[in-house]
Every structure is written in structure tokens, then in C-alpha cells.
Amino acid sequence: MDSMGRRRSSVRLLVGLLLLRFNWCLAVDGGGVAEVDGAFPLVVSTWPFREAVRAAWEVVSAGDGGGSAVDAVVAGCSACEVLRCDGTVGPGGSPDENGETTLDALIMNGATMEIGAVAAMRYVKDGIKAAKLVMEHSLHTLLVGEKATAFAISMGLPGPTNLSSPESLEKWANWRQNHCQPNFWKNVVPAGSCGPYRPINRVKALDSTKHEVEGSQGGICNGWFQSENLLEPINSHLKFIDRHNHDTISMAVIDKMGHIAVGTSTNGATFKIPGRVGDGPIPGSSSYGDDEVGACGASGDGDIMMRFLPCYQVVESMRRGMEPRDAAMDAISRIACKFPDFVGAVFAVNKKGVHAGACHGWTFQYSVRNSSMHDVEVITVYP
């Protein structure tokens, strides 16, 4: 090739790179499709957590190069922890059966596929920062319980700190006064009051079990034996799962370089059995991201959703060519086919900035900010 040919080839390569940098993309916006110029950077979060998205946006949009996607996720989730979004993120909310608040969090770098997470962490209020420390300063992915606490404090986070609040303790006291109902136990006696619990002897006839429980609980248990199926009592815990006791912030960020990061922070299910870990710190369940494909965030009944790794499913579906909306709907429908009473939702965003959501059992909202918007916009998704 002569020098003139090489120069022409170089010009074509430069033009191609510029077109990739200033690409046009589609933004799915609650049922409509709009063509948007310059989608990056981009921040997407579960629920109308506007302040969290603004905090992430401030980082990722700063200066000429902007901050990294990872730092933006930490800023956004930290804001929600400080604000105690819906009482289900950060300290001071969602007491367990003992009245204690514990934290779950996860962060994932979609460029390196590194992940850090903490679960059932006590006495440290900075869940997402602790998860980032696990990612940055260990070869592990997940640390749990008091050992996660010790690690976080040794890495410089403040603690030990009481994670309960007057509001969470009042909520717990009222629940105790209501005989610890509803709760997450099944197939146990006593059925209608606080523990300690013991398994139902399934060899006994239904009548003898009914007699045993009613004998110890009186009229409290009326209605528990309207069904012949001991595995599905009429007062199923599904009846008290909603946004305000099964909420999570899951956030995805695409920075100016096109790198992706995701993060999740939650204080778990209200009145959970102590030691319970939900989907929040589980990679591929609450969130997942890959620079090559896109990202996903989830919120809902984590005990059900984590069995399906819905965010991993979403990203892999997009990898195979599905649009974000189809990938989100597919992941949710897989769960609903097995558990038609579950409540949950996901958002999906591909590497071009196209985003969509899907939900089951409730109306879901997610928040978005990109370079074409003047402020955060909230998208509503209906089941």
C-alpha cells in the first residue's frame, strides 16, 4: 500500500471512531421510543430515588473526563444510605426479629468483572463503601456478618455504630405487640405468636395439629387451617411483601468512557429471621453489569428472585441479541411462571443506553439521568 492509501485508511479509521463516540441510540421511556443524541454518561436506579441519581450524576458528569462508573455508583448508593430511602436502605430501618438492622450491599465493575459484597453486616453504616473495600482490597467476593464488620472497620470505615433508630425500634415493638405477625416462618408452631418455634410434626393428623396449636394460642390462629395444605397457610407472608418492606436501591452507571458499574444497597426484609441474606449482595440477582453488553438492577422479593439470578439472565439475554425490554420481560416471566404470587421488578440497559423495565405484582418505577436530560426523570412500569 502506498503512502496515499495509508493516509486514506487512517482517515476512514478516525471517522469510524468518531462515529462510535458520538453515536445515536434509542431510549425506551415508559412505553415510548425516542431517539436521543449523546446518551453517555447515564445513571439508572430503581425507584424514584432522585437524590441518589443526582449524587451519582454529579460524579460521572464532572469535568472533561467525568468520574468513573464505580465511583458514581458508590456516591449514588451512599446518598440513599444517608437518606434512608424508604426506610429500606441504609441504617435505621427494616429491623429483624430481634429488632436489629443489618446491611447487605454489592458493587460490580463491568470493565473487570470484579465484585465486592457484604451481607448481614452489623455495626457499620456504610454498606456500599464496605462492598467496594472488599472488591479493592481482597481476592474474595463476599464477606458476611461480624467478620464483614471487622474487615470494614479495619479498612477505615467508622464503627462500631448502632444501626437501629427510634423509628425502627418502634416498628419492631408494634410488631411484637401484634404477636410477631406476619412473619417469615412456615410449618412451625406456634403459628400465631412469637417464638421460639418448632417444626410441625407432619406425621400427626391435621386435627391433632390444629388442636395443639389452638390449645396454645387460643383464638389467635383462627383462619390458619382453612386450607388442607399445611405447606401453604392462609396467612402467607406474601401478603405483606410490598415496596416499603422489600425495597432496594439497585443502580447502574455508564461513564463517559462507556464503562459500566452496578451496585446495590439494602437493609433487607422487615422482620426477617436473623441471619437472613436476600438478593442484595448476590451477584447476578440484585444487579449485574458487563461493559460488553449492558446492565440490570432488581428490586422485590429477594428470597424468590435470587433463585433465578434475574439480572444475570437479563444481561445474557441482551448478549444474545434481545432488546432491553424483551430481556427484562423474559426474566420476570420466568419467575412468574414458577411463583405467580411473587412481587418484583428489573430494569435493563444496554451498552448503547437503551433502557426499559418490567415488573410483576406491583407498579414499578425507576429513575434515569443522561446527558440529554435537564434533571432526573422517573419512568413508571405497569405489571
Side-chain angles (χ1 to χ4, degrees), residues 21 40-43 54-76 107 109 111 132 252-261 291:
R21 177 63 185 87
F40 302 151
L42 171 72
V43 180
R54 288 171 183 144
W57 180 256
E58 184 175 349
V59 171
V60 79
S61 63
D64 293 334
S68 72
V70 168
D71 289 341
V73 166
V74 172
I107 191 164
N109 184 336
K132 183 171 182 277
V253 174
I254 306 178
D255 63 25
K256 290 182 179 180
M257 301 300 293
H259 296 312
I260 294 172
D291 272 16

Side-chain angles (χ1 to χ4, degrees), residues 325-377:
R325 176 171 303 195
D326 295 333
M329 293 177 64
D330 176 70
I332 289 295
S333 66
R334 289 169 184 261
I335 306 173
C337 284
K338 299 287 187 179
F339 295 92
D341 292 328
F342 102 99
V343 292
V346 298
F347 69 75
V349 55
N350 69 17
K351 65 180 181 180
K352 297 179 181 180
V354 182
H355 55 85
C359 60
H360 182 84
W362 58 7
T363 298
F364 174 57
Q365 292 181 306
Y366 68 95
S367 304
V368 183
R369 176 75 198 269
N370 66 28
S371 56
S372 70
M373 301 174 180
H374 297 296
D375 198 2
V376 180
E377 295 184 7

